[in-house]
Amino acid sequence: MMMIKNKKFIAALTLLAGLQLMSCSESFLEVKPKGLNLESNYYRNQEEAYNGLVAIYDVVGWQGAGYVTTIATMNAASDDHYAGGGGPSDIMDFQIISNYTLNPTTGPQGELWRKGFSGVFRANSLLEKLPSVPMDETIKKRYAAEAKFLRGYFYFELVRLFKNVPLFTKTVSTQEMYDVTQAAPAEVYAQIEKDLSESMADLPVTINAATEGGRVGQGAAHAILGKVYLYQQKYAQAAQELALVNGTPGGTNPYGYKLLSNFADLWKSDNKFNSESILEISYTNTSAGTWDCVACTEGNIMNIITGPRGYNRKSDTAPDYVSGWSFLPVTPSLFEAIHYDPRYKATVANLDSLEKAGLASYEKGYMNTGYFLEKFAGRVSNRWTGAGTPELNFPQNMYDTRLADTYLLEAEALVRGGGDQTRATALLSAVRARVGLKPVAATFENIKKERRLELAGEGHRWMDLVRWGDAPKALASKGFVAGKNEILPIPLLEMENTKIEQSKEWGGTK
């Protein structure tokens, strides 16, 4: 995302929230969205077009009123984390997705549906308005390219989560809303490919992190398009796109991406928009977010929800964790897999060991394992002391896509598609070499293992398991049902007074 700490960015967010470009109703298809007339008079100049672009980017970091985010939800659903928290009813959306008791009326799917279509609607609005905005044409083309990229990005998440979704490439009038139907997944994927491909020519080759950190460039478009191809098992095309992003394994590429030499540096709050970052989700500690509107904060709520509950630091040698809410504890399965890996200490906060050593104590939350997510556990050194609620104003960014991820995705595409096995080995070896591990053969199983250890806690595991066909076995103990839980149910509210139908996997006809 764009740098949210930018004052102009904050002003834009506030203004666009007031315009209600996307209704904050219970349903994304509310017939009479607030502020419709005011929004229709917007986009009169370049500044207002920029504000509209900012509003689209803001949805990438969507944090729902119930603390639902894509990364947190996908973690809870995976075999690497339990829901955790203070009890079996604490943040029910996490509990429901974690134990697979979700249904069309309960679960996090409503928030994730709203997120995706909020982004789509905002992108469509800007794309329709831009042609008539009096502004520099080169800048206009860039804004349009970013909007297309983001529309494709949101649809990629929606089609993976729900499979059967409506396809909007223009704004929808109130008269049309009742007649909305779903498109075939292949049609949605074709539009995603089109949006991402068309965006590339007018996106910059590189991004100046100091002034435009978080805005997308050509590299991000190639990376997401490569993922899109991989999820459709178009392995040759996926490898081709991802190779453009990755360049020489462990070396250079046209977009300036490079693996950080120290894995732990990826999780430092002052290391935003580093050379490994391809698409980054931005947060700030200056938005003055309060409990009055959790969804309005621009701080990272993952930092407070993943921290150990009731943390008491008894020694200066113990980490300075903020006492958090103990959600998403690391499962024994992940702990056993990563315990002797060089990435362990930067990934897992071992409160059990700290307590046994007398260095700290903590409250044992729900489904406690003693292991927490070190990558995102909030720190006292990062605790905000200005206006707003400290718990809601942590500044750490998170990665949607980073270079180690795309290395492993290309290696997978090459292995599964019968491509250059030497290059696949070089890509896998580069990820391992960064943390001091020796090369291993680029087999599908080795790539799977590497993705789990490298990307733990970053929201990729559940979707990886589903697309590999491994979810039924890996998640059986959590209640996963094969042929059903590979997608989320269409929220019941979205089917009322519309032609949207429930997916067959959830007892529907679509």
Side-chain angles (χ1 to χ4, degrees):
M1 282 177 65
M2 292 176 169
M3 297 180 70
I4 296 179
K5 66 182 180 181
N6 183 287
K7 291 181 179 179
K8 188 175 182 181
F9 193 102
I10 289 291
L13 293 183
T14 303
L15 179 58
L16 267 296
L19 291 177
Q20 294 286 319
L21 290 184
M22 172 278 197
S23 167
C24 291
S25 72
E26 288 301 309
S27 170
F28 91 99
L29 290 177
E30 182 185 20
V31 174
K32 294 182 179 179
K34 299 176 182 178
L36 183 64
N37 292 332
L38 181 57
E39 191 273 332
S40 67
N41 296 324
Y42 204 63
Y43 304 108
R44 296 165 297 185
N45 50 49
Q46 182 171 317
E47 181 178 5
E48 292 185 354
Y50 173 80
N51 291 344
L53 180 63
V54 168
I56 312 170
Y57 271 103
D58 189 55
V59 181
V60 176
W62 183 279
Q63 299 182 136
Y67 304 101
V68 170
T69 65
T70 301
I71 291 177
T73 302
M74 295 297 94
N75 282 352
S78 78
D79 59 338
D80 286 348
H81 303 273
Y82 297 128
S89 61
D90 199 359
I91 305 189
M92 279 301 296
D93 285 338
F94 290 170
Q95 309 297 337
I96 288 168
I97 192 73
S98 189
N99 60 26
Y100 289 93
T101 57
L102 73 168
N103 60 60
T105 60
T106 59
Q109 63 272 5
E111 199 65 48
L112 297 176
W113 182 278
R114 279 190 288 274
K115 170 194 173 179
F117 283 107
S118 295
V120 169
F121 287 0
R122 294 182 186 194
N124 284 341
S125 182
L126 180 61
L127 286 168
E128 287 192 2
K129 298 287 186 178
L130 267 177
S132 61
V133 178
M135 59 182 289
D136 180 272
E137 288 300 317
T138 301
I139 296 175
K140 181 186 292 188
K141 287 181 180 179
R142 181 181 178 185
Y143 285 9
E146 289 175 273
K148 284 186 178 181
F149 169 92
L150 290 165
R151 183 171 65 187
Y153 169 85
F154 291 124
Y155 261 121
F156 184 40
E157 184 170 300
L158 284 166
V159 75
R160 286 182 293 168
L161 290 176
F162 297 100
K163 190 172 81 170
N164 300 303
V165 296
L167 180 58
F168 300 105
T169 56
K170 61 183 182 68
T171 55
V172 182
S173 70
T174 55
Q175 291 79 16
E176 296 171 308
M177 286 182 179
Y178 292 118
D179 294 323
V180 167
T181 59
Q182 291 131 298
E187 185 181 352
V188 177
Y189 269 110
Q191 183 61 47
I192 295 169
E193 292 176 13
K194 183 174 185 290
D195 278 344
L196 294 174
S197 298
E198 289 182 355
S199 74
M200 291 175 186
D202 294 315
L203 291 174
V205 175
T206 59
I207 300 292
N208 186 327
T211 59
E212 295 186 324
R215 293 181 73 173
V216 296
Q218 290 180 13
H222 285 295
I224 301 302
L225 183 56
K227 286 187 180 184
V228 169
Y229 285 141
L230 184 63
Y231 271 79
Q232 298 174 86
Q233 299 183 6
K234 298 179 178 179
Y235 298 124
Q237 290 163 283
Q240 182 178 2
E241 288 296 324
L242 293 164
L244 295 173
V245 178
N246 296 332
T248 303
T252 60
N253 54 69
Y255 306 109
Y257 304 131
K258 187 176 182 181
L259 294 176
L260 295 187
S261 58
N262 184 1
F263 178 79
D265 288 347
L266 285 162
W267 319 113
K268 293 181 179 179
S269 289
D270 59 357
N271 198 21
K272 299 184 178 188
F273 311 117
N274 57 67
S275 65
E276 190 164 335
S277 176
I278 296 174
L279 181 57
E280 190 162 327
I281 306 170
S282 299
Y283 296 102
T284 180
N285 58 4
T286 60
S287 68
T290 67
W291 297 122
D292 293 336
C293 183
V294 174
C296 300
T297 185
E298 299 294 343
N300 188 347
I301 61 174
M302 278 283 281
N303 290 153
I304 193 65
I305 70 173
T306 59
R309 185 175 292 260
Y311 181 71
N312 178 25
R313 189 185 189 200
K314 295 182 177 181
S315 168
D316 290 344
T317 61
D320 66 331
Y321 300 126
V322 169
S323 182
W325 301 346
S326 69
F327 283 97
L328 308 176
V330 169
T331 61
S333 173
L334 175 57
F335 178 78
E336 291 167 7
I338 201 171
H339 191 199
Y340 297 106
D341 186 272
R343 289 160 287 204
Y344 162 67
K345 288 187 177 180
T347 302
V348 177
N350 191 332
L351 271 293
D352 183 59
S353 292
L354 288 174
E355 188 168 68
K356 287 178 179 177
L359 300 177
S361 62
Y362 72 104
E363 179 184 337
K364 312 306 181 289
Y366 181 55
M367 304 190 79
N368 176 64
T369 62
Y371 316 126
F372 297 85
L373 190 52
E374 172 73 19
K375 287 179 178 178
F376 301 127
R379 300 286 188 140
V380 171
S381 53
N382 261 354
R383 188 179 176 89
W384 177 239
T385 58
T389 303
E391 290 85 351
L392 301 179
N393 289 281
F394 283 94
Q396 184 183 5
N397 285 2
M398 296 193 292
Y399 304 101
D400 176 278
T401 305
R402 58 184 176 90
L403 192 60
D405 177 17
T406 58
Y407 272 23
L408 295 174
L409 289 173
E410 185 192 346
E412 179 183 339
L414 291 168
V415 168
R416 298 183 73 183
D420 185 343
Q421 303 303 293
T422 300
R423 179 170 172 83
T425 298
L427 289 160
L428 176 59
S429 297
V431 175
R432 292 173 59 81
R434 187 255 295 275
V435 295
L437 291 172
K438 295 180 180 179
V440 294
T443 66
F444 189 21
E445 288 304 314
N446 282 340
I447 293 168
K448 288 181 183 180
K449 292 176 183 177
E450 203 66 33
R451 282 190 65 80
R452 186 183 193 187
L453 302 182
E454 174 71 24
L455 303 169
E458 297 177 53
H460 298 285
R461 177 67 174 173
W462 185 82
M463 288 189 179
D464 280 347
L465 290 173
V466 168
R467 69 187 175 85
W468 293 333
D470 294 343
K473 181 179 179 180
L475 300 172
S477 63
K478 299 185 80 172
F480 187 98
V481 176
K484 177 181 180 180
N485 291 128
E486 286 85 356
I487 60 172
L488 303 182
I490 306 297
L492 182 63
L493 197 62
E494 305 307 333
M495 296 181 287
E496 295 179 353
N497 299 318
T498 74
K499 294 182 179 179
I500 293 177
E501 301 174 31
Q502 186 58 266
S503 300
K504 289 182 180 178
E505 291 86 344
W506 287 90
T509 58
K510 190 64 178 178

